Amino acid sequence: MRRETKIGLLTIVSIGTLIFGFKFLQGKNVFSNDIVVFAKYDNVSAILPSNPVYLDGYQVGIVADVKQNQETLRGYVVSINISSEIKLPKNTIAVIKSDLTGGKSISLEYVDNETQSNFLQDGDEIEGRTDGVLGTLIQKDDLSDYLQIVKDSILAITEGAGATGDFDLKKIMKSFEETM
């Protein structure tokens, strides 16, 4: 084999390895047959490509791309790669979640199981929603219970301080400093 041929083959293999490695570091698998679904959001809350996508706490995909919505020029369209092994109904909602450290992810949620012919296919569009940090920590069903507990606790503290007649903040702070 001639020297120029060897150099050419080495160059082609090196470029292919570089492209594959770059895609791998981005979290993309070049040889996968993942499905791509799209979710529209008014605010993407700093979601970036390669952020994880979870279903019931299990990572089933990644965010592939975030682009401006070209139809309305308002909002964004997020491309989500989901493993083709995962079957999701068409009523799936993609919820952007935040954690306490500022990390972002997308959680896939759905209400009920659909018939087998009604699963998401490549190129389908799903609803997008954004939850803040509080929505991530507390489920919507439990929120009213937690707020009631906080309200009762605050009332108990203020009533207890008011019942003794010593609701003087300076005295309370001085007593606290002495205790410390």
Side-chain angles (χ1 to χ4, degrees):
M1 195 180 277
R2 292 180 32 193
R3 186 175 193 173
E4 292 85 8
T5 308
K6 290 179 184 177
I7 291 173
L9 286 174
L10 182 63
T11 302
I12 291 171
V13 170
S14 298
I15 290 172
T17 305
L18 181 68
I19 291 171
F20 178 77
F22 185 68
K23 295 289 186 183
F24 178 76
L25 289 175
Q26 287 181 325
K28 300 175 184 173
N29 187 353
V30 192
F31 303 114
S32 74
N33 57 353
D34 293 348
I35 64 168
V36 178
V37 294
F38 302 97
K40 291 184 179 179
Y41 297 94
D42 292 331
N43 182 352
V44 290
S45 298
I47 201 87
L48 298 171
S50 78
N51 280 127
V53 176
Y54 296 105
L55 175 66
D56 298 328
Y58 178 71
Q59 185 172 352
V60 295
I62 61 168
V63 174
D65 198 12
V66 179
K67 292 186 178 180
Q68 182 183 23
N69 188 346
Q70 295 300 315
E71 295 172 4
T72 62
L73 299 179
R74 298 196 48 84
Y76 298 89
V77 176
V78 176
S79 303
I80 303 170
N81 284 359
I82 300 173
S83 173
S84 60
E85 298 169 356
I86 303 297
K87 302 294 182 201
L88 295 168
K90 294 224 183 228
N91 65 352
T92 301
I93 300 171
V95 182
I96 296 177
K97 302 247 182 196
S98 304
D99 62 19
L100 292 175
T101 61
K104 302 288 183 176
S105 64
I106 292 182
S107 177
L108 300 174
E109 301 174 356
Y110 56 90
V111 179
D112 54 5
N113 292 329
E114 294 283 331
T115 61
Q116 190 169 2
S117 63
N118 229 359
F119 288 130
L120 286 175
Q121 302 296 321
D122 193 35
D124 283 350
E125 185 176 306
I126 60 176
E127 180 184 345
R129 194 175 68 216
T130 304
D131 275 357
V133 176
L134 183 61
T136 302
L137 295 175
I138 301 172
Q139 299 295 326
K140 288 185 180 182
D141 300 337
D142 300 335
L143 184 60
S144 62
D145 295 337
Y146 284 114
L147 289 176
Q148 186 63 40
I149 292 169
V150 170
K151 178 182 172 188
D152 293 343
S153 300
I154 291 173
L155 285 175
I157 291 170
T158 56
E159 287 175 0
T164 61
D166 294 331
F167 194 65
D168 185 10
L169 191 57
K170 289 182 182 180
K171 287 182 183 178
I172 293 172
M173 290 304 294
K174 184 175 179 181
S175 174
F176 179 71
E177 289 174 5
E178 290 173 1
T179 304
M180 296 308 283

